[in-house]
Amino acid sequence: MPVKIRIYGKEAVFTRGCWTCEDESLLAMLESLADPRAVTEVEEHAHALYAAGRYGGVIAVGEGWEAAPHPAPEIRLEDFAPARQPERAGWLSFLRRRK
């Protein structure tokens, strides 16, 4: 079953792992997130909810629209910053002068 979302005032439909939209720039943004494995109704809805939340959009629920929640961040600061010494965090931390 197709899932309809609205982002930046433009509507898009996700069905069988593909996005369709009249706006080419929005279509490109959504295709970058497309999951071709989402073929069941539950998977399609979950993916459309993720995409709408990622771009701050809304998803069609029955007769109306509902704001999509923002997904959890994929990268967190804790992944890079040591808990004991956050001032030594970063990918070039090995270049810093040691005391």
Side-chain angles (χ1 to χ4, degrees):
M1 181 172 175
V3 182
K4 190 183 292 187
I5 66 170
R6 184 181 293 163
I7 300 173
Y8 307 129
K10 306 288 183 183
E11 291 186 12
V13 177
F14 184 70
T15 183
R16 298 189 186 233
C18 296
W19 285 102
T20 55
C21 181
E22 292 181 8
D23 186 63
E24 292 178 8
S25 60
L26 179 59
L27 182 61
M29 289 171 35
L30 292 171
E31 284 180 345
S32 70
L33 297 176
D35 185 5
R37 301 169 295 169
V39 290
T40 66
E41 186 175 327
V42 173
E43 291 172 340
E44 285 179 352
H45 187 271
H47 177 69
L49 190 63
Y50 170 78
R54 182 79 183 233
Y55 294 119
V58 293
I59 188 164
V61 178
E63 300 269 332
W65 296 91
E66 182 179 294
H70 293 288
E74 297 172 11
I75 298 175
R76 299 171 308 175
L77 184 59
E78 294 83 33
D79 297 338
F80 297 101
R84 297 181 316 228
Q85 300 171 333
E87 68 277 358
R88 298 190 65 186
W91 68 282
L92 291 177
S93 61
F94 63 90
L95 293 176
R96 291 196 181 96
R97 191 170 230 175
R98 305 213 191 271
K99 293 181 182 180

